[in-house]
C-alpha cells in the first residue's frame, strides 16, 4: 500500500456528512486521493477516459508530461537510448535494476534460446488471407500461444510468470517477421542465435534462404532503439487493457493479445502507420497549410497524426531521440533529402508555431518520426504498429507481472446510468 500523506481530502455533498478521504504520496508525481469510501456512501466518481484517475500503484515507469520526462525504474529514457539496449532495458523493466555483466549475458542467452516458435504455429498462418493486416494476424497468433504452452500458465507461480515473459519477449520478433513473410509469399526465416535481438529481427524480415544476409549495423542499432523507445509508458490504453484482462486471472498470452488489440487503434499505436499515410496524403510542402487548417477545424474529424498526447504537454522525450535516429538512418542510407522527412520537419515547424497547437500544447509524440525510420529501413507501413507491439511487449508483461506480484482485485468500473428507469414489457401488438 502507498504511503499515506499528512494531507486529507474532505468531501461534503449537499450538506451531508463530510467524508475524510485518505491522500497517498508517491515517490515523485501527483498525490492521489483514495475514493473507495464513496461507494458505501452511495456515489461513484465520474472520469470518462480516466483523465484524472490512477488505476493502480506502480514502480515501473514515470512520466512528467509537463516537463517531458520519462523514467524507466528511475533512469531517464534519453540515457537508456544512448547507453543501453532493448534487452538490457527489458531486464530493467522486469527485475527493477540494471543487470550485471553476468546477469545481462544470461538474460540475452535465455531470450535468444526462446526465439523459435512451435512448428505447428507456422501452419496457423496459412489460415489467413495473404493480404490480412499483420496486426490482425498478430492478435490471433499471440492469443493462440496459450494453446502451446500449457507448462507455464499458472499465474500464481512466479517461475511460470518469468518463463512466459521470456517466451513473449523472445517470440514476438519471430511472429512479427512471420506475419510479414507470409504477406509477401516468402518462406519464414528461422531465428539465428548468433545475432542480436534487433539484427535477428531484420534478418527474419529481409533475409532469404537463397543468399547470405549482411547486417547493416546502423539500421540494427536504429531498430534496437525503436524497440527500446516503445518499451513502456505507464498506464496507456494497451497496458491498461493488459492489466484489466490480467485482473480476471487470464493467462499471459491472452492478456498480451488484448494489449495488441488495444494498441492497433489510430489514436494509440496505430498512429505511426497513420502518420505515414498522412505525410503521403499531404504529398508536398505546399499542401501543409491546408492540412494544418483541417486539423484545427472543429467540424473536421481530421487530426495531425503523431501530434498530441494525453500526458505530454511538452515534447515527448522519445520523439526527440526518434528524430535524431531518423537523421542518422537517412544519412546512412543517403536519403537525407527524403521528401517525407522534409514534409515532416516542415510540418513540425509550422505546427509548433501555430497558436492552436501552442495553446493546446500539442507536440510531436513518439509516433511522429518512427514511421519515417521504419520506412527508410524498408519496413512496410502495415508493419509499423506490429513493430510498436514488439517493443511494448516487455512493458505489458512487466505491468502484468507487477500486478500479480501483489494482492489485486478484478477490475470492474461502475457507470453513470442515463437509460430508461424500470418499465413493463409491451406485447408486440401494442407497440
Ligand atoms: C501513443 O498514452 C500513451 O502513453 C500512449 C503512447 C504510448 O507510448 O503508449 O504514448 C503512444 O498512443 C501516442 C499518441 C499517438 N496518437 C496520435 O498521434 C493520434 C493523434 N493524437 C490525438 O488523437 C490525441 O492527441 C491523443 C489521442 C493522442 C490524445 O487525446 P486526448 O488526451 O484525449 O486529448 P483530446 O482528444 O481531448 O484533445 C485535446 C484537444 C482537443 O481539442 P478541444 O476539444 O479541446 O477543442 O486537442 C485537440 C482535440 O481536438 N487535439 C488535436 C490533436 N490532438 C488533440 N487537434 C489536432 N490534431 C491532433 N493531433
Amino acid at each position: 500500500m502507498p504511503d499515506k500523506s499528512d494531507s486529507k481530502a474532505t468531501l461534503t455533498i449537499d450538506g451531508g456528512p463530510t467524508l475524510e478521504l485518505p491522500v497517498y504520496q508517491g515517490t515523485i508525481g501527483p498525490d492521489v486521493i483514495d475514493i473507495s469510501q464513496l461507494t458505501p456512501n452511495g456515489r461513484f466518481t465520474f472520469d470518462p477516459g480516466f483523465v484524472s484517475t490512477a488505476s493502480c500503484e506502480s514502480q515501473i515507469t514515470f512520466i512528467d508530461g509537463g516537463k517531458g520526462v520519462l523514467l524507466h525504474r528511475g533512469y531517464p529514457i534519453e540515457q537508456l537510448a544512448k547507453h543501453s539496449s532493448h534487452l538490457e532495458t527489458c531486464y530493467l523493466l522486469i527485475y527493477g535494476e540494471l543487470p550485471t555483466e553476468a546477469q545481462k549475458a544470461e538474460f540475452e542467452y535465455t531470450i535468444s534460446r526462446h526465439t523459435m516458435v512451435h512448428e505447428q504455429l507456422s501452419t496457423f498462418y496459412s489460415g489467413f488471407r495473404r493480404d490480412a493486416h499483420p496486426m490482425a494476424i498478430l492478435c490471433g497468433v499471440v492469443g493462440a500461444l496459450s494453446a502451446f504452452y500449457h507448462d507455464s500458465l499458472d499465474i500464481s507461480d512466479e517461475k511460470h510468470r518469468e518463463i512466459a515473459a521470456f517466451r513473449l519477449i523472445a517470440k514476438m520478433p519471430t511472429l512479427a517477421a512471420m506475419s510479414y513473410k507470409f504477406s509477401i509469399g516468402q518462406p519464414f526465416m528461422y531465428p539465428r542465435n548468433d545475432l542480436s535481438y534487433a539484427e535477428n529481427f531484420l534478418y527474419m524480415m529481409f533475409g532469404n534462404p537463397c543468399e547470405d544476409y549482411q547486417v547493416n549495423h546502423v539500421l540494427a542499432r536504429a531498430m534496437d532503439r525503436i524497440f527500446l523507445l516503445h518499451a513502456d509508458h505507464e498506464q496507456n490504453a494497451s497496458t491498461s487493457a493488459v492489466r484489466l484482462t490480467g485482473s480476471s486471472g487470464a493467462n499471459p498470452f491472452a492478456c498480451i493479445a488484448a494489449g495488441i488489440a488495444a494498441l492497433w487503434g489510430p489514436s494509440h499505436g496505430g498512429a505511426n502507420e497513420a502518420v505515414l499515410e498522412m505525410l503521403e496524403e499531404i504529398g508536398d510542402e505546399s499542401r501543409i497549410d491546408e492540412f494544418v487548417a483541417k486539423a484545427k477545424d472543429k467540424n473536421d474529424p481530421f487530426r495531425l497524426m503523431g501530434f498530441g498526447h494525453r500526458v505530454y504537454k511538452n515534447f515527448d522525450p522519445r520523439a526527440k531521440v526518434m528524430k535524431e535516429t531518423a537523421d542518422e538512418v537517412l544519412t546512412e542510407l543517403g536519403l537525407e533529402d527524403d521528401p517525407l522527412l522534409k514534409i515532416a520537419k516542415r510540418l513540425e515547424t509550422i505546427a509548433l508555431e501555430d497558436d492552436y497547437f501552442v495553446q493546446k500544447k500539442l507536440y510531436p509524440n513518439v509516433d511522429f518520426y518512427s514511421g519515417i525510420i521504419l520506412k527508410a529501413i524498408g519496413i512496410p507501413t502495415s508493419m509499423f504498429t506490429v513493430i510498436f507491439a514488439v517493443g511494448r511487449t516487455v512493458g505489458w508483461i512487466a505491468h502484468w507481472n507487477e500486478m500479480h506480484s501483489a494482492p489485486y482485485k478484478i477490475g470492474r468500473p461502475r457507470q453513470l446510468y442515463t437509460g430508461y428507469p424500470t418499465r413493463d414489457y409491451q406485447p408486440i401488438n401494442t407497440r
Side-chain angles (χ1 to χ4, degrees), residues 233 267-268 298 303-304 306-307 309-310 318 365 392:
H233 214 238
S267 289
H268 188 16
K298 295 302 291 174
R303 288 190 165 183
L304 278 191
F307 278 82
H309 198 277
R310 170 60 59 76
R318 301 168 297 176
N365 57 46
R392 184 53 56 87

Side-chain angles (χ1 to χ4, degrees), residues 148-200:
F148 290 83
Y149 295 114
H150 304 287
D151 65 335
S152 64
L153 295 180
D154 177 357
I155 58 175
S156 63
D157 182 327
E158 189 180 356
K159 280 299 174 196
H160 279 208
R161 296 203 301 269
E162 187 179 46
I163 182 67
F166 293 155
R167 282 172 163 151
L168 281 157
I169 293 167
K171 297 179 193 309
M172 281 294 274
T174 309
L175 297 171
M178 288 169 75
S179 304
Y180 172 61
K181 286 298 196 188
F182 177 73
S183 72
I184 59 174
Q186 283 192 7
F188 298 141
M189 299 299 285
Y190 287 105
R192 279 176 40 186
N193 294 344
D194 61 322
L195 297 177
S196 73
Y197 193 80
E199 290 171 344
N200 206 8

Side-chain angles (χ1 to χ4, degrees), residues 117-314:
V117 293
H118 194 291
E119 202 61 15
Q120 278 299 100
L121 262 174
S122 306
T123 53
F124 192 98
Y125 280 74
S126 58
F128 292 99
R129 287 174 40 147
R130 290 281 179 184
D131 61 355
H133 194 291
M135 282 295 281
I137 295 176
L138 204 62
C139 281
V141 173
V142 171
L145 285 178
S146 48
F148 290 83
Y149 295 114
H150 304 287
D151 65 335
S152 64
L153 295 180
D154 177 357
I155 58 175
S156 63
D157 182 327
E158 189 180 356
K159 280 299 174 196
H160 279 208
R161 296 203 301 269
E162 187 179 46
I163 182 67
F166 293 155
R167 282 172 163 151
L168 281 157
I169 293 167
K171 297 179 193 309
M172 281 294 274
T174 309
L175 297 171
M178 288 169 75
S179 304
Y180 172 61
K181 286 298 196 188
F182 177 73
S183 72
I184 59 174
Q186 283 192 7
F188 298 141
M189 299 299 285
Y190 287 105
R192 279 176 40 186
N193 294 344
D194 61 322
L195 297 177
S196 73
Y197 193 80
E199 290 171 344
N200 206 8
F201 175 67
L202 293 176
Y203 166 72
M204 292 188 287
M205 282 284 292
F206 301 118
N208 68 65
C210 310
E211 58 193 18
D212 288 341
Y213 177 75
Q214 295 305 316
V215 173
N216 178 317
H217 294 291
V218 172
L219 300 191
R221 177 77 184 120
M223 194 71 250
D224 190 81
R225 197 176 295 161
I226 284 184
F227 287 143
L228 189 158
L229 291 172
H230 286 88
D232 188 49
H233 214 238
E234 283 192 3
Q235 308 308 322
N236 58 82
S238 53
T239 301
S240 298
V242 170
R243 278 183 174 259
L244 193 58
T245 308
S247 73
S248 74
N251 73 70
F253 306 103
C255 295
I256 301 305
I260 294 170
L263 185 74
W264 196 0
S267 289
H268 188 16
N272 52 17
E273 181 175 352
V275 166
L276 250 291
E277 287 161 0
M278 174 186 73
L279 294 175
E280 284 162 351
E281 187 184 0
I282 292 174
D284 184 89
E285 291 183 55
S286 62
R287 294 194 62 202
I288 290 177
D289 290 337
E290 172 195 339
F291 280 82
V292 169
K294 279 170 60 70
K296 292 158 60 175
D297 179 355
K298 295 302 291 174
N299 301 316
D300 190 326
F302 173 78
R303 288 190 165 183
L304 278 191
M305 302 317 280
F307 278 82
H309 198 277
R310 170 60 59 76
V311 177
Y312 288 122
K313 301 309 172 191
N314 194 322

